[in-house]
C-alpha cells in the first residue's frame, strides 16, 4: 500500500477526531449482537474497535467485563484485579463501565487514584507478577485488565485481560470470554450485574502502579550504570500512559532524562501522521516518530545521546540514535539479545533460550548461533512467550513489531507482557556499559554475523477475502507446490512454529538467504507477507513478488 503524501507531517484540524461525538456514541450507540462486525472479538491484543463504528461501546464493555468476572470465578481466581487504562478518549468511560460491573460482582479492584492517572500495560503485568510470585505468604491469585487499543488511532478503544500469569490471555481464555460476552449482548445484558459509579468508586482500592514499578526498575535494568555514565536521554511518551512514568524514573534514579513532550491530548494533535495519513502512536514508524527523529537530527540533537518513544500503553519501544536515526525494530532486537546474552546478565542461567516470533529477522537466528544459545521461534503474539518467561526457560522474548520483555538481572521474572519502558532504558544501559550506540553495535553485527550485508526486511499486504483468509490459516506444506523462491531452493515450509509446535495461522517458507511468511489480517481483507533477504533490496522485492504468487496459487487465486 502506497505511503500517503502527508505522512510524517504534523496533524491538522481536519485530521483530529471529534472527542465529544466519540464519547456520545460510546453510550448512545447500541451494537447489533447479530452483526458479526459489531460483536466482541479478541485479537492478539484484546477487543478493539471504535464507538463510532458500533464496535467499542458501553454495552461491549459491560458484557465483556461480566464475562471476565464469570471466567475468573470459574478459574478460581479470588485475588484482586489490577485495573489500568491509557490516554485514549474511550479509555476513561470504559474504565467507569468496568468498575461498575467488577464491584457489582464482588471483585476486589485495585486501580489508579483518579480518572486522570494512567497506567502502562507493563506496570499492570508487573503488579500481577509482584502480587502472585513475590508475596511473603500464599494468597489468592490476582489478575488484571488493561483498557487500551495500544498504538491504534485516537478514535479507537481497547480492552485486554491478563490472567494470573500476568501476560496476555491465551486463545482458550479469550475465546471463552468473547463467546460469553456475545451471549450476554444477545440477552440484552439481563445477566450483567452493575452498581452506580459512585458506589463503585467507594469500593475500590488505590494502587501505586507507578511507584511500585519505578522503584523496582534496578532489578531489571542497570540504572546505576546509566546514571554514572551520564547518558543523556530524551524520552517521548507520544502522549501515552508512560507520560508521568518517565519523569518519575528521572527523579527516582537521578538520570539525565528529559521528557521531550509531556502533553496528553485525546486528539493527539501534536502527532505527525503515520504512513497512511492516520494519527497512530506507533513508536516503530519513522512517520509517526518524525518529530523525535527531527529533534535528534537537528540542532537540538546534540542534547541527547539517545531518544526513545513509547506507544499509548508503553508496551512498545522506539529507539533513536544520533548516528542511526530510528532503529528498525528487528535491528534493535538483535542488538538487545547480543548484549544481554553476551555477558551483561551473568546471573542468567546458561541454558535460557532466546525467544522470537517467526516473522522477526533471521539476524536474530545468526546472533543466537554466534552466542551458542538455543532459539525458540513461536507464532505471532506475545502470549507464546509467557510460559518461558514465567519458568525462566526463556530470558528474552521479542516481536518484530517492537514489543519485548526480559528477565530481571537475577534471572527472576519481571513482566510477562511487553515492556517498552525497560527496552527503551536498555538502550541507555548499552551506551553506558559499552560506549557504543545500539545502531553502531548493529553495524558491527552485520559485519560479524550478517556476512557484511544488512538484511532487507519488509512487510506488504495483499488482498484476500474472508474465505481466502480462512484457507490461509489452514494451509499445509503440501499446498505449496513451488520448489524455489527468488532463485534459491526452498529449504523449509512451515505451518507450525519450530519452538512450540503451535499453528502459525499461515505459512513460512525459507531458503538459504531469504524467507517469507504469509498470514491473514485479523482486521482487514488482506493477508500480510513478511519477507527478508540477506542479498539486498532487489532480491527482497523478488522474494515478495514470488511469495504472493506462491500463496495466491495455494489459495486457488
Amino acid at each position: 500500500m502506497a505511503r500517503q503524501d502527508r505522512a510524517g507531517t504534523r496533524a491538522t484540524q481536519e485530521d483530529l477526531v471529534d472527542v465529544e461525538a466519540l464519547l456520545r456514541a460510546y453510550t448512545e450507540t447500541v451494537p447489533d449482537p447479530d452483526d458479526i462486525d459489531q460483536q466482541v472479538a479478541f485479537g492478539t491484543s484484546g477487543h478493539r474497535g471504535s464507538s463510532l463504528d458500533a464496535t467499542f461501546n458501553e454495552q461491549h464493555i459491560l458484557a465483556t467485563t461480566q464475562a471476565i468476572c464469570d471466567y475468573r470465578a470459574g478459574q478460581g481466581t479470588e485475588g484482586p484485579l489490577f485495573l489500568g487504562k491509557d490516554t485514549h478518549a474511550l479509555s476513561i468511560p470504559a474504565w467507569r463501565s468496568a468498575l461498575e460491573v467488577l464491584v457489582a460482582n464482588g471483585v476486589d479492584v485495585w486501580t489508579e487514584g483518579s480518572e486522570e492517572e494512567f497506567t502502562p500495560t507493563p506496570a499492570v503485568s508487573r503488579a500481577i507478577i509482584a502480587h502472585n510470585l513475590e508475596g511473603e505468604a500464599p494468597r489468592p491469585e490476582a489478575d488484571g485488565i488493561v483498557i487500551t487499543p495500544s498504538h491504534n488511532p485516537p478514535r479507537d478503544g481497547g480492552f485486554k485481560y491478563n490472567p494470573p500469569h500476568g501476560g496476555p490471555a491465551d486463545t482458550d481464555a479469550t475465546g471463552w470470554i468473547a463467546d460469553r460476552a456475545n451471549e450476554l449482548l444477545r440477552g440484552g445484558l439481563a445477566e450483567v450485574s452493575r452498581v452506580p459509579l459512585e458506589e463503585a468508586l467507594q469500593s475500590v482500592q488505590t494502587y501505586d502502579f507507578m511507584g511500585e514499578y519505578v522503584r523496582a526498575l534496578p532489578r531489571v535494568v542497570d540504572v546505576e550504570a546509566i546514571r554514572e555514565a551520564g547518558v543523556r536521554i530524551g524520552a517521548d511518551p507520544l502522549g501515552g500512559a508512560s507520560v508521568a512514568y518517565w519523569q518519575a524514573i528521572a527523579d527516582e534514579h537521578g538520570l539525565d532524562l528529559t521528557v521531550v513532550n509531556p502533553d496528553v491530548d485525546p486528539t493527539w494533535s501534536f502527532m505527525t501522521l503515520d504512513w497512511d495519513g492516520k494519527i497512530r502512536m506507533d513508536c516503530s514508524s519513522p512517520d509517526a516518530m518524525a518529530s523525535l527523529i527531527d529533534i535528534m537530527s537537528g540542532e537540538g540533537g546534540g542534547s541527547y545521546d539517545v531518544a526513545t518513544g513509547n506507544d499509548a500503553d508503553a508496551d512498545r519501544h522506539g529507539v533513536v540514535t544520533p548516528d542511526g536515526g530510528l532503529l528498525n525494530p528487528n535491528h534493535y532486537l538483535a542488538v538487545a539479545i547480543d548484549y544481554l546474552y553476551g555477558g551483561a546478565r551473568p546471573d542468567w542461567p546458561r541454558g535460557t533460550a532466546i525467544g522470537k516470533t517467526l516473522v522477526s529477522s533471521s539476524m536474530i537466528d545468526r546472533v543466537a548461533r554466534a552466542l551458542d544459545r538455543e532459539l525458540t521461534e513461536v507464532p505471532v503474539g506475545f502470549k507464546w512467550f509467557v510460559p518461558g518467561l514465567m519458568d525462566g526457560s526463556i530470558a528474552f522474548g521479542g516481536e518484530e513489531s517492537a514489543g519485548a520483555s526480559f528477565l530481571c538481572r537475577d534471572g527472576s521474572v519481571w513482566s510477562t507482557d511487553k515492556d517498552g519502558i525497560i527496552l527503551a532504558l536498555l538502550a541507555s544501559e548499552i551506551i553506558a556499559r559499552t560506549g557504543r550506540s545500539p545502531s553502531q553495535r548493529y553495524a558491527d553485527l552485520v559485519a560479524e554475523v550478517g556476512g557484511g550485508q544488512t538484511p532487507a526486511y519488509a512487510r506488504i499486504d495483499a488482498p484476500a477475502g474472508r474465505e481466502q483468509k480462512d484457507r490461509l490459516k489452514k494451509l499445509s506444506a503440501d499446498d505449496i507446490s513451488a520448489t524455489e523462491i527468488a532463485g534459491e531452493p526452498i529449504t523449509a515450509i512451515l505451518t507450525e512454529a519450530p519452538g512450540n509446535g503451535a499453528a502459525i495461522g499461515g505459512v513460512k517458507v525459507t531458503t538459504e538467504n531469504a524467507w517469507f511468511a504469509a498470514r491473514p489480517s485479523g482486521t482487514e481483507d488482506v493477508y500480510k507477507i513478511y519477507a527478508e533477504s540477506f542479498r539486498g533490496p532487489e532480491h527482497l522485492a523478488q522474494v515478495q513478488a514470488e511469495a504472493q504468487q506462491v500463496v495466491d496459487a495455494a489459495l486457488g487465486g
Side-chain angles (χ1 to χ4, degrees):
M1 296 183 179
R3 182 172 180 268
Q4 212 261 0
D5 290 342
R6 294 178 54 230
T9 65
R10 180 78 176 260
T12 60
Q13 186 63 38
E14 54 266 29
D15 298 311
L16 308 184
V17 68
D18 184 338
V19 173
E20 290 186 5
L22 193 68
L23 298 178
R24 192 165 55 247
Y26 176 77
T27 55
E28 294 180 359
T29 301
V30 177
D32 180 356
D34 295 320
D35 183 340
I36 191 171
D37 293 326
Q38 296 183 26
Q39 294 176 357
V40 173
F42 276 72
T44 55
S45 294
H47 173 74
R48 295 183 187 178
S50 177
S51 62
L52 301 174
D53 302 328
T55 53
F56 193 92
N57 303 85
E58 183 178 50
Q59 292 203 6
H60 291 111
I61 304 309
L62 296 174
T64 302
T65 307
Q66 182 63 55
I68 289 172
C69 291
D70 295 345
Y71 178 81
R72 73 193 304 268
Q75 296 294 309
T77 304
E78 299 178 345
L81 183 142
F82 292 97
L83 178 64
K85 62 182 179 302
D86 78 355
T87 54
H88 277 79
L90 288 171
S91 293
I92 290 178
W95 179 79
R96 296 172 186 150
S97 299
L99 280 178
E100 294 171 359
V101 176
L102 290 167
V103 170
N105 280 271
V107 176
D108 183 13
V109 182
W110 295 12
T111 190
E112 303 105 338
S114 73
E115 291 186 349
E116 289 72 36
E117 293 181 28
F118 308 102
T119 303
T121 286
V124 173
S125 179
R126 173 97 280 269
I128 296 170
I129 294 296
H131 180 278
N132 293 344
L133 299 182
E134 299 171 5
E136 294 181 0
R139 47 187 173 177
E141 286 190 319
D143 53 2
I145 292 173
V146 191
I147 303 172
T148 174
S150 192
H151 62 290
N152 275 31
R155 72 193 305 272
D156 287 356
F159 206 79
K160 302 193 298 185
Y161 175 62
N162 286 32
H165 58 52
D170 62 25
T171 51
D172 289 341
T174 57
W176 193 98
I177 291 168
D179 288 345
R180 175 61 175 151
N182 289 319
E183 178 185 353
L184 293 167
L185 285 174
R186 286 190 293 271
L189 304 183
E191 296 182 69
V192 173
S193 300
R194 187 180 185 185
V195 299
L197 179 62
E198 293 74 17
E199 179 181 338
L201 289 172
Q202 292 173 1
S203 301
V204 302
Q205 294 194 46
T206 298
Y207 181 78
D208 185 10
F209 286 102
M210 185 169 71
E212 296 291 340
Y213 179 92
V214 170
R215 286 189 293 271
L217 278 171
R219 295 180 55 187
V220 69
V221 176
D222 192 348
V223 292
E224 181 179 357
I226 298 171
R227 179 177 61 252
E228 291 182 351
V231 180
R232 300 167 303 161
I233 307 165
D236 190 344
L238 296 184
S242 66
V243 60
Y245 280 60
W246 282 109
Q247 190 58 57
I249 290 168
D251 295 342
E252 175 72 21
H253 301 295
L255 303 184
D256 186 352
L257 188 157
T258 301
V259 181
V260 175
N261 175 21
D263 295 339
V264 173
D265 170 11
T267 68
W268 270 276
S269 58
F270 49 78
M271 284 293 295
T272 51
L273 302 179
D274 203 3
W275 67 271
D276 57 357
K278 295 181 180 180
I279 296 175
R280 186 181 290 110
M281 290 60 71
D282 184 353
C283 49
S284 67
S285 165
D287 291 316
M289 289 276 281
S291 295
L292 192 58
I293 294 170
D294 286 346
I295 289 173
M296 288 294 282
S297 62
E299 292 183 4
S303 301
Y304 309 119
D305 298 310
V306 64
T308 62
N310 295 114
D311 63 343
D313 68 322
D315 69 344
R316 299 188 186 202
H317 59 272
V319 175
V320 185
T321 64
D323 56 287
L326 177 65
L327 270 72
N328 178 293
N330 278 300
H331 297 184
Y332 183 54
L333 289 181
V335 169
I337 290 166
D338 172 73
Y339 172 75
L340 290 168
Y341 287 82
R345 295 295 183 268
D347 292 332
W348 283 3
R350 178 73 182 110
T352 53
I354 297 164
K356 61 163 280 196
T357 52
L358 54 81
V359 296
S360 300
S361 173
S362 288
M363 180 65 88
I364 295 171
D365 304 51
R366 298 187 180 201
V367 168
R369 285 196 294 270
L371 293 169
D372 191 25
R373 290 281 189 163
E374 179 185 350
L375 183 70
T376 299
E377 193 171 22
V378 301
V380 173
F382 202 80
K383 63 187 177 185
W384 300 107
F385 297 126
V386 171
L389 289 170
M390 283 290 286
D391 65 19
S393 60
I394 291 176
F396 181 101
E399 297 184 315
E400 80 296 337
S401 55
S405 189
F406 51 90
L407 297 181
C408 291
R409 295 162 69 186
D410 65 1
S412 60
V413 59
W414 168 256
S415 73
T416 47
D417 213 328
K418 295 173 287 192
D419 191 333
I421 295 175
I422 64 169
L423 266 295
L425 283 170
L426 184 66
S428 294
E429 181 187 326
I430 291 171
I431 293 170
R433 294 186 57 183
T434 71
R436 296 177 64 74
S437 72
S439 46
Q440 290 170 329
R441 179 55 188 151
Y442 185 74
D444 295 339
L445 289 175
V446 169
E448 294 170 10
V449 302
Q453 173 72 60
T454 300
Y457 177 102
R459 195 200 90 190
I460 60 173
D461 296 338
R466 183 170 294 174
E467 291 184 3
Q468 287 179 306
K469 292 197 295 180
D470 287 342
R471 286 203 298 273
L472 178 55
K473 287 182 182 178
K474 301 170 183 176
L475 279 185
S476 71
D478 294 337
D479 294 319
I480 304 297
S481 58
T483 58
E484 67 174 42
I485 295 291
E488 294 191 347
I490 291 174
T491 56
I493 300 173
L494 306 174
T495 56
E496 296 179 347
N500 60 3
I504 64 178
V507 63
K508 180 175 181 178
V509 177
T510 65
T511 68
E512 181 181 357
N513 294 296
W515 61 267
F516 79 83
R519 53 186 298 271
S521 168
T523 57
E524 300 175 273
D525 288 331
V526 299
Y527 68 84
K528 304 174 182 181
I529 298 175
Y530 305 80
E532 183 176 42
S533 170
F534 279 80
R535 292 172 54 185
E538 291 185 3
H539 189 250
L540 173 65
Q542 188 179 355
V543 171
Q544 291 171 319
E546 295 189 20
Q548 186 169 347
Q549 294 173 7
V550 167
V551 174
D552 286 347
L555 297 178

